[in-house]
Amino acid sequence: MERNYKIQSGKVVVEIDEDGNIIKLFDREKKIDFVGGGKAHSGRGLKIWVKEGKLGRDPQGKLSHKFSNVTFKKPIIRVDGSSVHMVKTKEADTLKIDYSIEDDRFKILVELQNTGKRKLKQLEFFFSWDVPPGTNILIPGGKRYLNYVIPPFGRCVTKNLPFKKGFLYIIRKDGNGIKIEFSDLVLYVIYHRGHMCMVGGYTDGKMVEKDKSLKELISMSFCSRKNVYSPVAKKEFIFPEISKDPWFEKRFIHLILYGGRVDLGQFFTILENLRKIGYNGVILGIGKGMKYESYPQVAEKWSYTKNEMKEIRNYIKNLGMEIIPEFPTLGHQNDTNLIKIDRSIVEDPNNPFVYCTSNPKTYQVIFSLLSEIIEIFNPQYFHLTHDEVQHWFSEKRMGICEKCKRKKLWEIYSEDVNRLHNFLKSQNIRMTLWGDMLLDHRKFKICNCNGTIGNIYKAIDLIPKDVLIFDWHYHYYKSYPSLRYFRNKGFEVFPGMSFFKPKAIASFSRYSKKIGINKGAIETTWAIPTVEELPLEPIFIASQIFQNPDYNLGKLKSQAYQFAYYLYNKINR
């Protein structure tokens, strides 16, 4: 049975678990628990990591830190009145954590001692707390504080902010807050998803000499809004007019239904408002999210019935939006549950990520599942993914079973594409794919080019030219040469945009305009369609940039927050 340790004063109650994580931080006067309602939720509280690593280079050739977590043994814990002392060890590393309360102030002293060889070390601190929309996080920015308001969305929305000495404030909508001071951080990081928020940062990587140490002192106390800032009135959101002459003809939003069930009423409200801001198409990820008749093992308990899928189809079509169904093929088989049908269908049953292209049953199953989706949606296009089958930096995932390992990886890839292409073409359906596996990162020097291992990128010369390529890149660059590459190879190509970097959305769209690519674009989300999960800031910005790539990004960010609050309030009123 796990044991927790409690220390308290007349104003503050702190509870710490046996791993040294804060699972309760309670203000007795106002009865507030910032960790999450006084409950020890999994993943919530203060997390302290020690990392060690080496200097390396990223895909762009820039110097970067590559750190891995140091996993310590169970700590030795001693409670002394209003203090808890914890010691963790691993080989030559000793991590000491002292928790103490002085009246209304809670302090944490972290010290990493190194008695071995000099190594590159780093400390990381993150508070994972229950932070609802509207919470203000004030970060010291020199002469004034930077105010970041938690919006009503949080899928991979991360803010990296330079560290300045001073207090970090987290002020909730009810005016109650907490202030935190770090002694030696380099960067603040804010990441939020739904009501969960991670706030913290990390020290810079330092070469720690033998018998030396890294230290960090964290100090916390409760406060109220009236002593910190005055709230700013929110502006009313006004829907922008949809351009009569948009740059991209087809403006798709990518949504997944295989990540979990959502309320259809809320989903339809979201779709209606996505149409109002300018999207005219939906790429709908289905995978294991539907109950199939041919192979019911694929579905989860929460998966949608065929009648519900038809209801979704009818609603989208009534909005005047095009539908491209998506079913993950070749890779990402964790989203299809094929292993539940037959373990021989996947390359590695212990890691069922890629299906086996040498097993005839694979295609018997895939064609049956695709046929059921086609029966419902009768699409002009069908998206069969083929992304991240093999990351350029990872171990081999393809060609590892006895039959497949005799083939070249680009042959496995191209033969699978051709077989699926012929199946769709026989029904007058055009195939679409993500483009990353057809790109060699050594040539393009940008992220999301995964065709390097086994020279999979060579498959580009072995697949039909009428395959529509979705060329996705999620990071900011001044140019995206893969667009020209696909076009020069004879393919029609749509850019696929970032779900977390608005600057990248603008740059990718502007580069597309520069070279004359305008048939279509995709805003990715990789989230189930709920207001808490969707990255509404990038979604709104992409909806406007797709119409006019030259829109001012700063003004769009302000409108994006207004849109997010409008949609959040509409659904939760």
Side-chain angles (χ1 to χ4, degrees), residues 122-254:
Q122 181 172 296
L123 298 176
E124 296 189 4
F125 309 88
F126 286 100
F127 298 93
S128 299
W129 285 338
D130 188 37
V131 181
T135 298
N136 286 259
I137 300 180
L138 286 82
I139 294 119
K143 294 183 178 180
R144 64 185 181 87
Y145 274 81
L146 306 173
N147 190 355
Y148 179 69
V149 183
I150 297 295
F153 55 85
R155 174 70 179 180
C156 290
V157 177
T158 304
K159 300 294 181 184
N160 295 330
L161 299 155
F163 174 73
K164 302 289 185 183
K165 296 296 181 182
F167 286 104
L168 165 74
Y169 292 91
I170 302 176
I171 311 293
R172 305 195 318 184
K173 289 177 70 174
D174 60 10
N176 297 310
I178 192 167
K179 61 180 180 180
I180 308 169
E181 186 175 27
F182 295 93
S183 64
D184 197 31
L185 284 193
V186 173
L187 198 71
Y188 281 129
V189 175
I190 302 171
Y191 166 82
H192 52 93
R193 181 172 184 172
H195 283 190
M196 283 297 294
C197 180
M198 287 181 63
V199 182
Y202 51 84
T203 63
D204 199 4
K206 295 180 181 178
M207 293 301 301
V208 182
E209 305 289 343
K210 182 178 178 180
D211 298 326
K212 299 294 183 179
S213 63
L214 289 178
K215 290 184 180 181
E216 176 70 40
L217 176 64
I218 305 170
S219 177
M220 290 179 281
S221 59
F222 290 96
C223 64
S224 64
R225 175 194 295 151
K226 63 182 180 180
N227 299 323
V228 183
Y229 80 107
S230 299
V232 178
K234 295 184 180 68
K235 295 181 180 179
E236 181 182 357
F237 175 69
I238 300 174
F239 279 95
E241 291 186 12
I242 297 176
S243 173
K244 295 179 180 178
D245 186 25
W247 174 253
F248 288 111
E249 295 176 18
K250 296 187 176 186
R251 303 175 298 281
F252 285 100
I253 184 76
H254 176 261

Side-chain angles (χ1 to χ4, degrees), residues 329 355 363 366-367 370 374 382 384 386 413-433 462-468 491:
T329 53
Y355 64 54
Y363 295 98
I366 292 293
F367 291 162
L370 297 184
I374 290 169
F382 206 133
L384 295 185
H386 278 66
Y413 185 94
S414 61
E415 288 173 5
D416 184 62
V417 170
N418 290 333
R419 197 161 186 175
L420 295 169
H421 171 270
N422 291 338
F423 171 77
L424 293 180
K425 190 172 183 179
S426 69
Q427 301 181 63
N428 296 315
I429 300 171
R430 189 174 175 187
M431 184 179 187
T432 74
L433 299 176
L462 302 173
I463 64 175
K465 300 300 182 185
D466 64 347
V467 171
L468 173 59
F491 293 92

Side-chain angles (χ1 to χ4, degrees), residues 522-539:
I522 305 104
E523 171 57 16
T524 64
T525 65
W526 301 111
I528 60 173
T530 67
V531 73
E532 291 85 5
E533 291 285 327
L534 288 171
L536 292 176
E537 179 188 30
I539 285 174

Side-chain angles (χ1 to χ4, degrees), residues 248-378:
F248 288 111
E249 295 176 18
K250 296 187 176 186
R251 303 175 298 281
F252 285 100
I253 184 76
H254 176 261
L255 304 170
I256 61 171
L257 296 181
Y258 50 74
R261 190 176 184 85
V262 301
D263 177 80
L264 289 186
Q266 291 189 21
F267 182 27
F268 293 162
T269 299
I270 289 170
L271 286 168
E272 175 190 353
N273 284 278
L274 292 176
R275 183 70 183 96
K276 286 182 178 180
I277 60 175
Y279 289 102
N280 59 10
V282 179
I283 298 173
L284 197 62
I286 297 172
K288 63 185 178 184
M290 187 174 86
K291 297 183 185 295
Y292 299 88
E293 294 175 7
S294 56
Y295 295 98
Q297 307 97 304
V298 167
E300 302 285 355
K301 290 182 179 180
W302 49 260
S303 296
Y304 301 87
T305 66
K306 283 192 170 183
N307 284 336
E308 287 174 322
M309 279 293 178
K310 290 176 182 177
E311 188 178 352
I312 293 170
R313 173 205 64 194
N314 292 340
Y315 192 87
I316 295 174
K317 287 194 171 183
N318 288 338
L319 288 173
M321 303 175 78
E322 182 178 0
I323 304 173
I324 298 181
E326 172 197 295
F327 189 93
T329 53
L330 196 54
H332 283 291
Q333 293 312 299
N334 49 308
D335 296 323
T336 66
N337 282 341
L338 292 194
I339 194 171
K340 291 184 178 181
I341 299 171
D342 189 334
R343 290 174 65 84
S344 70
I345 291 177
V346 297
E347 280 282 85
D348 179 4
N350 295 318
N351 181 24
F353 190 83
V354 179
Y355 64 54
C356 177
T357 61
S358 298
N359 186 344
K361 187 170 182 180
T362 299
Y363 295 98
Q364 174 188 326
V365 171
I366 292 293
F367 291 162
S368 294
L369 298 174
L370 297 184
S371 294
E372 292 193 48
I373 296 172
I374 290 169
E375 181 183 2
I376 292 174
F377 291 96
N378 188 28

